[in-house]
């Protein structure tokens, strides 16, 4: 389908060491083609495009119940990453985050907004800092000395099809170095601490290849690369408005969780 993705569009390109505020970026919508993963017949790879659509049945009944999500969903996500990657170990990077389309009006308690512009969650510098922050010091040092580590996002729409504001993923191979703008973001953690890290937004490039999955069910999930110390390019992603979605459809509600994957070889 043809749709609009918002891209970084400043009046001038920042200096090389300048890090714009990720929460106040100048954006401009650009028309793009977003292809349907189902129509393509699957075959998407974490090591190639940087993402895949996984069959991932869940036993979670209520994704707004934070206790239920922490009890069951985190373990499901970690097991999914192990099964898809063959990694030796996983660790949780952040608690699951629920996002709801702006059409919902007042969002349910604990839910946040969708990410409606092209971005990636971490730079390499930030991914290493997250390992140091989330793991005990000795384990973190050992993991960073290992042959490979990665961060994957497990993203699931639980509101049922169709989705009014789906998530689109960009083939990491279509990204050029000059497309990236490193930014800085400061946010409050679940524990109330202020955290600052480096992430990435993107300039528009007609070479970008965007994909989405039409009518995702709650037993499917995107898994996509946020960082990989071997497959270096993260996957840009953005929510977009599906103009063909009927107005009667429920506002998209989704849950995402980021998981470290550590490899033995």
């Amino acid at each position: 389908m043809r749709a609009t993705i918002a891209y970084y569009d400043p009046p001038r390109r920042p200096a090389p060491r300048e890090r714009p505020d990720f929460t106040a970026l100048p954006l401009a919508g650009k028309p793009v083609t977003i292809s349907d993963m189902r129509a393509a017949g699957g075959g998407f790879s974490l090591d190639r495009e940087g993402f895949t659509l996984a069959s991932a049945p869940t036993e979670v009944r209520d994704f707004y119940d934070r206790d239920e999500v922490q009890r069951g969903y985190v373990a499901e996500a970690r097991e999914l990453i192990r099964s898809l990657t063959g990694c030796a170990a996983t660790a949780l990077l952040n608690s699951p985050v629920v996002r709801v389309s702006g059409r919902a009006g007042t969002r349910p308690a604990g839910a946040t907004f969708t990410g409606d512009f092209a971005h990636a969650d971490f730079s390499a510098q930030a991914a290493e800092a997250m390992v140091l922050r989330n793991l005990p010091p000795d384990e973190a040092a050992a993991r960073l000395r290992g042959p490979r580590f990665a961060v994957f996002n497990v993203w699931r729409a639980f509101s049922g099809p169709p989705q009014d504001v789906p998530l689109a993923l960009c083939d990491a191979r279509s990204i050029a170095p000059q497309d990236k703008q490193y930014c800085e973001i400061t946010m409050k953690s679940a524990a109330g601490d202020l955290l600052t890290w480096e992430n990435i937004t993107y300039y528009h490039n007609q070479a970008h290849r965007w994909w989405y999955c039409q009518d995702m069910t709650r037993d499917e999930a995107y898994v996509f690369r946020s960082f990989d110390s071997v497959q270096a390019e993260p996957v840009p992603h953005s929510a977009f408005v599906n103009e063909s979605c009927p107005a009667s459809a429920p506002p998209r509600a989704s849950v995402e969780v980021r998981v470290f994957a550590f490899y033995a070889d």
Side-chain angles (χ1 to χ4, degrees), residues 7-59:
Y7 279 89
Y8 183 52
D9 189 29
R12 63 167 183 85
R13 185 178 284 262
R17 295 184 181 277
E18 189 176 346
R19 297 294 181 262
D21 179 359
F22 188 74
T23 64
L25 297 174
L27 303 170
K30 303 292 184 180
V32 300
T33 297
I34 306 178
S35 301
D36 186 358
M37 297 169 71
R38 295 197 198 280
F44 295 87
S45 165
L46 292 176
D47 286 336
R48 190 175 56 248
E49 293 88 356
F51 55 83
T52 191
L53 176 67
S55 173
T58 178
E59 294 184 4

Side-chain angles (χ1 to χ4, degrees), residues 2 14 18 25 29 47 62 119 131 134 157 193 195 199 207 236 243:
R2 292 292 286 176
E18 189 176 346
L25 297 174
D47 286 336
D62 182 3
H119 68 282
V131 172
N134 284 274
D193 304 321
L195 303 177
N199 57 6
E243 298 288 358

